[in-house]
Amino acid sequence: MDNFKIPKSRVYILLDSQNCITRIEGEYTLPNDLTGWIFVDEGYGDKYNLAQSHYLEGGLYTIEGICRYKYENGACMLRSEDEIAADIKALP
């Protein structure tokens, strides 16, 4: 039992055409087919196992249903207030 190691949990994201993060999944909810998904991080604990509710601060979407995060330069980044406001303005 001394050689037992807990494996790291992985986090993957899906993007739209403008590199906004539309889905994020941690180890517990990873799909079987990761085609099109981007690996972003790995580690231990709920942040990595339950990424939907623990990885990105404040949640993935605004109350209006607008993506709050984008993937840029190899990192998940909060979108600017102007970017979010423009998407809200474009809602039908």
Side-chain angles (χ1 to χ4, degrees):
M1 195 75 160
D2 292 333
N3 293 331
F4 180 75
K5 289 185 180 182
I6 297 173
K8 288 183 179 179
S9 297
R10 304 162 294 160
V11 176
Y12 284 82
I13 58 172
L14 272 179
L15 306 176
D16 67 10
S17 61
Q18 297 178 352
N19 288 336
C20 291
I21 301 172
T22 59
R23 279 185 67 189
I24 185 166
E25 300 292 342
E27 194 69 34
Y28 290 166
T29 58
L30 286 177
N32 291 330
D33 181 5
L34 291 170
T35 302
W37 289 80
I38 298 169
F39 171 80
V40 292
D41 203 359
E42 65 183 349
Y44 302 101
D46 286 346
K47 178 179 178 179
Y48 304 93
N49 291 321
L50 303 167
Q52 303 88 340
S53 56
H54 294 286
Y55 194 81
L56 298 173
E57 188 174 325
L60 191 54
Y61 290 94
T62 67
I63 191 100
E64 298 86 4
I66 303 298
C67 294
R68 296 182 71 239
Y69 287 86
K70 61 185 173 183
Y71 188 67
E72 191 171 273
N73 299 321
C76 299
M77 303 176 67
L78 190 60
R79 296 175 70 215
S80 72
E81 289 181 20
D82 290 341
E83 289 172 311
I84 292 172
D87 283 353
I88 291 171
K89 188 176 180 179
L91 289 173

